[in-house]
Amino acid sequence: MAGCLEGKVVVVTGAGRGIGLGAAAALAEAGAEVVLTARTRPQIEAAAAAIRGRGQQARAETMDVTDTGRVRRLIGDLGPFEILVNNAGGARHGP
């Protein structure tokens, strides 16, 4: 699998931990340039740094997927990308 996504740009939402982080790491391992997005900057900066520390390509972008203006700006700034892993989620706990 290594290298099969060489030259491809992948955006992963909710990439600071859990499934999103796992997906970002696997896609980077496959050769993609991974853009990790999440609401918590320190979390995604650390995740991107760990991926880069393995010699792979990653960058962090702070983004809350409920902020449609920010989503539009980021998509516009990124230019074309080949894959979107739409992993971000939320939960509201209560009665």
Side-chain angles (χ1 to χ4, degrees):
M1 253 318 260
C4 68
L5 293 177
E6 196 71 39
K8 305 292 185 191
V9 177
V10 177
V11 178
V12 182
T13 67
R17 60 187 171 153
I19 293 169
L21 178 54
L27 292 161
E29 179 72 26
E33 175 187 343
V34 182
V35 181
L36 293 87
T37 71
R39 293 180 299 170
T40 310
R41 185 139 196 91
Q43 193 175 52
I44 57 170
E45 285 288 350
I51 291 171
R52 288 192 304 270
R54 294 191 296 270
Q56 298 157 347
Q57 297 181 67
R59 63 182 177 196
E61 293 287 344
T62 305
M63 181 179 75
D64 181 340
V65 296
T66 66
D67 180 349
T68 56
R70 173 68 178 129
V71 172
R72 285 188 180 122
R73 284 190 305 278
L74 180 62
I75 297 301
D77 290 347
L78 287 174
F81 57 91
E82 286 74 24
I83 299 170
L84 169 65
V85 178
N86 194 14
N87 171 72
R92 295 180 193 248
H93 301 283

